[in-house]
Amino acid sequence: MPLKGVSKQLGIPFIELQSVDSTNKYAMRLVHEGMAIHGMTILAHEQTEGRGQRGKGWESEKNANLTFSVVVNLKPLNTTQLFHLTVCTAVSIWEAVSNIAGDRITIKWPNDIYWDDRKAGGILIENSLGTSTGSTWKWSVIGIGLNVNQTFFSADLPNPVSLKQITGKEYNILEIAKEICTLLDKNFRRLLEGDVKELFKKYREHLYKKNEAVRLRKDNRVFTATIKDVTESGQLVIKHAIEETVEFGKVEWVMMNE
Ligand code: BTN
């Protein structure tokens, strides 16, 4: 049965741009101008002001990588459901990327795609409240950056990796984008039907460093803890002297080379 208001497919329409400041910004401008359509996807071969998590930028070589944003139209979500959207996106990218690069691909809490200890991709979801034909809608822009064919990275980036570096092969950017959109659409429908169990199962199964000891920083203190799990509302479950849950933003990963 088609879902009310979301019968349209994620990935359609598909807008391909040569260059833009940021596909997330472009999509958000369309949302604010009332021009956004659920499912609309914007891909750019170059971003001049790519945005990353926590106010950082997102560097990506022109014509080498995947940088795109998918617009979704949702009824207002609570914070738990917002994490479900992250899970849905991360699992969709994991499915596409692990098909190409194998089982060393993991999901680093909350929203990075890793190959061993190196970052292959990231997700930036931005939200907006808007009004459309009298009703209030919550729009989310799902921004996805994936290193595909780039082989040299700036020395400032701590641990990047691309699919080409992993497999030695060049990839068609548009084909990977469309595959991710197809998976995202399938998983998003599950999410709307309230079926998050399978998505969480995959997210947890492929969680970076699960059951391994890692270094974390919290309140300026660096400590060792074992990664145990992720809760439905998006907290990381860690175990050190005690078992506790920590929120994104309150704890930071300390990488090997720090
Ligand atoms: C991160 O910091 O890990 C998140 C990176 C997200 C980058 C993507 S690239 C497409 C979209 N447009 C942006 O400006 N950022 C996201």
Side-chain angles (χ1 to χ4, degrees), residues 143-240:
I144 298 171
L146 181 68
N147 299 327
V148 180
N149 294 321
Q150 185 167 343
T151 47
F152 292 97
F153 291 90
S154 136
D156 307 340
L157 296 175
N159 52 354
V161 71
S162 67
L163 300 186
K164 183 169 179 184
Q165 287 175 318
I166 300 169
T167 67
K169 294 183 195 152
E170 285 265 338
Y171 295 92
N172 181 312
I173 305 287
L174 291 178
E175 270 176 24
I176 300 179
K178 297 212 166 149
E179 175 65 6
I180 293 176
C181 286
T182 303
L183 292 164
L184 195 57
D185 185 69
K186 174 195 77 175
N187 290 326
F188 185 73
R189 281 167 199 276
R190 279 190 178 164
L191 188 77
L192 292 174
E193 283 160 1
D195 177 16
V196 288
K197 233 173 145 189
E198 268 303 302
L199 293 173
F200 262 93
K201 187 165 172 270
K202 277 204 180 156
Y203 186 99
R204 289 175 165 138
E205 251 170 36
H206 302 289
L207 189 62
Y208 173 73
K209 298 282 186 199
K210 186 162 179 192
N211 293 323
E212 289 183 41
V214 298
R215 302 285 287 160
L216 298 171
R217 184 182 295 115
K218 192 178 167 210
D219 303 327
N220 277 328
R221 194 171 58 88
V222 175
F223 60 100
T224 302
T226 304
I227 302 293
K228 298 306 290 179
D229 203 357
V230 170
T231 67
E232 280 231 359
S233 53
Q235 294 156 318
L236 186 66
V237 183
I238 56 171
K239 188 167 185 197
H240 42 127

Side-chain angles (χ1 to χ4, degrees), residues 21-25 47 49-54 56-58 66-69 111-112 119 121-124 126 142-146:
D21 48 359
S22 145
T23 56
N24 266 32
K25 277 196 192 171
Q47 290 191 125
E49 287 172 42
R51 287 146 72 98
Q53 288 285 342
R54 282 177 277 163
K56 293 189 185 157
W58 181 256
L66 190 46
T67 50
F68 71 112
S69 303
N111 46 20
D112 286 340
K119 179 162 169 167
I123 301 164
L124 177 66
E126 298 184 279
I142 305 172
I144 298 171
L146 181 68

Side-chain angles (χ1 to χ4, degrees), residues 3-31:
L3 292 153
K4 198 167 170 259
V6 289
S7 53
K8 300 224 177 72
Q9 227 181 306
L10 300 190
I12 297 172
F14 191 92
I15 301 167
E16 185 183 350
L17 304 172
Q18 284 315 310
S19 181
V20 74
D21 48 359
S22 145
T23 56
N24 266 32
K25 277 196 192 171
Y26 184 98
M28 218 25 118
R29 283 195 291 270
L30 292 178
V31 166

